Amino acid sequence: MAYLEIKNFCKKFGEHEVLKGIDLSIEKGEVLSIIGSSGSGKTTLLRCINFLETPNKGVMVLDGETLFNAETDKKIREKDLREKRLNFGLVFQSFNLFPQYSVADNITLAPLLQLKEKCKKDKTLNFAEEKQKIIADAEKLLEKTGLTDKKNEYPCVLSGGQQQRVAIARALALKPKILCFDEPTSALDPELTGEVLKVIRALKGEDRTMIIVTHEMGFAKNVSDSVVFMANGVIEEEGNPKEVFENPKSEKLKAFLAGINNKEGE
């Protein structure tokens, strides 16, 4: 059984059907990139996986546990939603950092709130000791993302690339089973894109399971173990990067790649 399995995900907004029966699987330690034109359903799929939207149909199984079944999970309590979301870390294209907090505080805020809840339930936990572990973990993440010298800075003085690296570190701080990216470089100037992609490449070296919605075709080709091309709410084609980019079978994928190449002047 795959590490993550999605079966027949369907999602409607009113009468508009955005996802039309998505079947998807990913192995542990694998990097899956999702490509496609705007409006193809890529971000909606990612939001459904992260429990930010609720599919109208479908099942999701993670590491052998059924996290969602549309037949039985008609309404999920907010408390249960929060628990389910902790399996995933999501890095948004627009950073979504808290401007009133320093870099270090942005990274430690959620783990510390989580720790407070744990300490209420388990009186044997020592808050001060556990807090120091969280701070130590944050220091390692700052080093990993090249931000050690920025830990006391505020988001307003950081470049877009630095802010996105903070967002990656913040997502990693909760130790998610799967790390997801929604167009992580789309809000960045071209010269800042490289520093973010470098961090993501380094995470791949740690055998981290990742799902990346991206418009960076070269990056998807080089970093992915598998690639999914979406069009009109369905998976039009999938395979390893060499197959998808060098030998596309779908006419829609051929047209999409031709459009990308023309835009880049190739």
Side-chain angles (χ1 to χ4, degrees):
M1 179 183 285
Y3 189 53
L4 175 69
E5 280 193 294
I6 291 164
K7 303 169 188 175
N8 195 36
F9 259 19
C10 298
K11 178 63 181 176
K12 278 186 175 183
F13 293 100
E15 293 301 310
H16 180 46
E17 193 174 20
V18 180
L19 301 180
K20 304 172 184 177
I22 300 292
D23 294 314
L24 192 67
S25 65
I26 182 170
E27 301 295 337
K28 191 169 186 178
E30 186 178 51
V31 177
L32 170 71
S33 287
I34 303 175
I35 64 172
S37 302
S38 296
S40 60
K42 307 185 303 294
T43 293
T44 298
L45 174 58
L46 205 62
R47 288 178 64 83
C48 286
I49 291 171
N50 282 268
F51 291 93
L52 296 175
E53 301 286 355
T54 303
N56 302 106
K57 294 180 184 177
V59 175
M60 179 162 64
V61 179
L62 175 62
D63 201 13
E65 177 191 354
T66 299
L67 284 187
F68 175 79
N69 185 332
E71 291 297 315
T72 56
D73 297 329
K74 299 295 183 186
K75 187 165 178 62
I76 307 174
R77 294 183 305 167
E78 186 60 36
K79 177 176 175 289
D80 295 330
L81 270 178
R82 287 197 300 269
E83 285 295 317
K84 291 174 185 290
R85 285 175 185 147
L86 289 173
N87 291 288
F88 304 93
L90 179 57
V91 179
F92 299 89
Q93 55 184 291
S94 54
F95 322 138
N96 288 2
L97 299 179
F98 295 109
Q100 71 272 35
Y101 293 124
S102 68
V103 165
D105 288 341
N106 262 282
I107 295 169
T108 58
L109 179 64
L112 287 173
L113 289 172
Q114 191 180 47
L115 175 60
K116 287 179 181 178
E117 289 299 314
K118 285 181 180 176
C119 286
K120 287 178 185 177
K121 296 174 185 175
D122 185 353
K123 300 301 181 184
T124 65
L125 282 174
N126 183 305
F127 180 81
E129 287 180 7
E130 297 300 320
K131 179 180 178 180
Q132 286 308 308
K133 291 178 185 176
I134 289 172
I135 292 171
D137 285 343
E139 295 279 354
K140 290 175 185 174
L141 290 171
L142 285 165
E143 184 177 357
K144 181 180 294 186
T145 51
L147 292 164
T148 300
D149 61 333
K150 303 293 183 183
K151 69 177 185 179
N152 295 319
E153 303 282 4
Y154 286 82
C156 62
V157 302
L158 302 180
S159 70
Q162 289 167 339
Q163 290 187 60
Q164 191 61 295
R165 283 185 280 151
V166 176
I168 293 171
R170 181 178 62 181
L172 289 168
L174 286 170
K175 299 179 172 61
K177 290 182 177 179
I178 297 180
L179 186 60
C180 302
F181 296 87
D182 183 16
E183 299 278 15
T185 60
S186 66
L188 302 178
D189 293 330
E191 64 268 25
L192 299 177
T193 295
E195 63 188 62
V196 173
L197 299 183
K198 182 180 177 182
V199 171
I200 299 174
R201 281 194 189 94
L203 293 174
K204 176 181 169 63
E206 299 174 356
D207 290 329
R208 194 174 294 277
T209 310
M210 295 188 280
I211 301 173
I212 306 171
V213 168
T214 182
H215 65 284
E216 297 281 348
M217 296 302 110
F219 175 70
K221 184 175 180 179
N222 292 325
V223 81
S224 308
D225 297 294
S226 57
V227 178
V228 160
F229 169 65
M230 289 184 66
N232 301 318
V234 301
I235 292 177
E236 184 74 19
E237 191 165 333
E238 58 186 311
N240 65 53
K242 188 175 179 65
E243 291 170 343
V244 170
F245 290 108
E246 297 180 18
N247 189 30
K249 298 173 182 63
S250 157
E251 292 302 319
K252 288 181 181 178
L253 176 54
K254 289 176 184 177
F256 172 75
L257 293 175
I260 292 289
N261 289 339
N262 288 338
K263 197 179 294 184
E264 294 175 351
E266 294 181 9

